[in-house]
Amino acid sequence: SSRNVRLSEEDRAAAPVLYAALNLAEKVLKSGGSVEDAASLIRSQVQNEPRADLKAVDIVNAHSFLPATGVPNATVGIMVSAMFGDVLLIDQKEVMV
């Protein structure tokens, strides 16, 4: 992302927590876990990174963009955003379940 160049060296080292959290959430969903479990895992992972200030976690039906709940039976989009210093980073992942 073009925003990455604005990150301090420390924030750049911490920023991959977003991608890692998305990957863990994908594993939860693909193993039959709920949207709520996946969102909780993302929150926990990002909030455990002291340089990250979590702003939002959204998991939606990938076709309607309506919030997803429970154990999904269709593709979902997962979006997460967090501040690192004065830079807002946004990452997302589509998960086919």
Side-chain angles (χ1 to χ4, degrees):
S1 165
S2 61
R3 297 176 194 193
N4 289 347
V5 298
R6 296 179 37 217
L7 293 170
S8 70
E9 194 172 309
E10 295 84 3
D11 289 337
R12 188 171 296 130
V17 70
L18 298 181
Y19 181 73
L22 288 171
N23 285 334
L24 288 173
E26 177 180 32
K27 287 180 184 177
V28 166
L29 293 172
K30 286 193 170 196
S31 68
S34 71
V35 165
E36 294 78 13
D37 291 339
S40 178
L41 177 63
I42 291 171
R43 285 186 195 92
S44 175
Q45 289 289 311
V46 176
Q47 290 171 340
N48 282 333
E49 170 49 62
R51 301 199 69 87
D53 179 14
L54 181 66
K55 294 300 177 187
V57 175
D58 295 295
I59 302 179
V60 300
N61 178 290
H63 302 289
S64 68
F65 287 94
L66 293 172
T69 59
V71 177
N73 60 3
T75 302
V76 296
I78 308 172
M79 286 112 0
V80 60
S81 61
M83 294 293 295
F84 290 83
D86 63 349
V87 180
L88 178 67
L89 294 184
I90 302 165
D91 206 350
Q92 67 277 327
K93 185 172 197 117
E94 185 176 81
V95 177
M96 292 181 232
V97 291

